[in-house]
Amino acid sequence: PPGLQPPTQGFAGNINSNNIPPRPPPGMGSLPPPNRGHSNAINGTPPPGMPPPTRPPKVGAVASPPPNKPPASSILPARTPPPSSPSMPATQSADAQNATTTATPAKPARVRRTQTRCEEQPGRLFANDMPAEAFNSSSPQQQTSLIARPRSELTARWVLPLPYLRHRALRQFEAQKSVHGAPPQNLTIRDALKNLTVGLFRKGAMESGSQSSIVSKEILATSSSNGGSNANGGKGGGQQGGRPSEDYFFNVDQRTDSVFGTVPFYAPRTPGNVLFRLYFDDEPQVTLATGPCIRVLPTDSDVDSVLRFILSNFKSKKTNGISSMNSLASVLELFAPRQKSYNDRYADAGRVAWGCICESRKAVEAAGLTFAKKKQELE
């Protein structure tokens, strides 16, 4: 064949075209067949023009098993990395597992609100001196909910028993002492009322706290308080409408062994059902008292201003528009003009209402596009 050295004399007549080993001449022993897979036995190099020899596999070598694959019946993407292969070091495999673990942190458990029933709550809360429905011992014909106009003044009056405040203050002091090792000190009523907050919430709100309330106000004024604020202009920590920071009124009633106080509020600008809640800001899930239902109903003269406020919320783009659409639906549902000639009076309100409807359509279309995009990503 091409590339092989010419055979020695005496063997040329015995080589055929099928590469059959030559026969030895008479009188000589048989020669072993040439090993085409090995190199030359003399110098260990292959003949000219031949590729380098390959080393035969070792006897008894076991091939590495293929990597484990997820079962074919699963339709969910694998969240864990594949097992480490012989070519991947153990450190790289551990780093990949750690990266996967840190990329998907566990969602914190949701803390649900406790003492949701008025009978389980230690305190009492009144709205314009009206108690909650559970403590209203008047006749059944009397109204159990308070009706207010948008931006009307409201007064929340709260009452808490002193034994409950003492027990909580001592428990908080013991916990702080075990952590920081603070020396004993005298506890005052201000220490017991620290972080006590009154909040105005939409009826049915699942959570308490300044993040879920319409507006919340702390009883004691502190320099570091930053209570929730909203379009009503109210802020927590004893500030409202720019007035100086100061404590809201509270006093101790020795006769009933309780503490009571009052906090001023304004009704929301949009219609709906709201109520007061009393809680500590460091433990918002524990409801201390709940006030009566307050129904905010706009009158004929309030329709234009309420619709303009809803339109401004639509255009602010601070929310997804769901709350504004609910407020718009409430205004249109409650709208019942009492005067017959109201064409000119409600002309501006009609244009504002049409603007709110157009903004609602934009919000619904944007929500549909977001839903379609998210669905495509998940598929």
Side-chain angles (χ1 to χ4, degrees), residues 147-168:
I147 299 179
R149 293 178 54 186
R151 294 291 296 167
S152 60
E153 295 183 359
L154 300 173
T155 302
R157 183 167 66 90
W158 56 272
V159 181
L160 277 177
L162 272 175
Y164 177 84
L165 293 175
R166 293 194 194 99
H167 177 71
R168 184 183 183 277

Side-chain angles (χ1 to χ4, degrees), residues 100-233:
T100 305
T101 305
T102 55
T104 57
K107 186 177 180 180
R110 178 181 178 182
V111 180
R112 296 189 175 274
R113 194 164 56 92
T114 60
Q115 301 180 173
T116 56
R117 302 182 66 89
C118 295
E119 295 82 358
E120 303 172 352
Q121 299 168 357
R124 299 291 182 268
L125 197 56
F126 303 83
N128 290 359
D129 293 333
M130 176 179 289
E133 184 178 1
F135 306 108
N136 195 346
S137 58
S138 58
S139 60
Q141 291 78 12
Q142 188 173 357
Q143 193 173 6
T144 57
S145 60
L146 181 65
I147 299 179
R149 293 178 54 186
R151 294 291 296 167
S152 60
E153 295 183 359
L154 300 173
T155 302
R157 183 167 66 90
W158 56 272
V159 181
L160 277 177
L162 272 175
Y164 177 84
L165 293 175
R166 293 194 194 99
H167 177 71
R168 184 183 183 277
L170 290 175
R171 179 164 49 87
Q172 295 286 339
F173 175 75
E174 292 296 334
Q176 183 180 3
K177 181 180 178 181
S178 61
V179 175
H180 303 287
Q185 59 183 358
N186 296 328
L187 296 178
T188 62
I189 187 62
R190 296 184 62 87
D191 297 327
L193 297 180
K194 185 179 179 181
N195 296 327
L196 185 63
T197 307
V198 180
L200 183 64
F201 295 83
R202 293 285 179 184
K203 188 177 181 180
M206 297 297 295
E207 299 178 358
S208 294
S210 58
Q211 301 297 329
S212 303
S213 64
I214 301 175
V215 57
S216 59
K217 299 181 181 180
E218 291 189 13
I219 305 301
L220 302 181
T222 56
S223 58
S224 60
S225 64
N226 52 354
S229 61
N230 72 333
N232 293 341

Side-chain angles (χ1 to χ4, degrees), residues 19-38:
N19 296 333
I20 300 176
R23 294 182 180 180
M28 296 188 64
S30 60
L31 297 176
N35 192 351
R36 294 182 176 86
H38 292 279

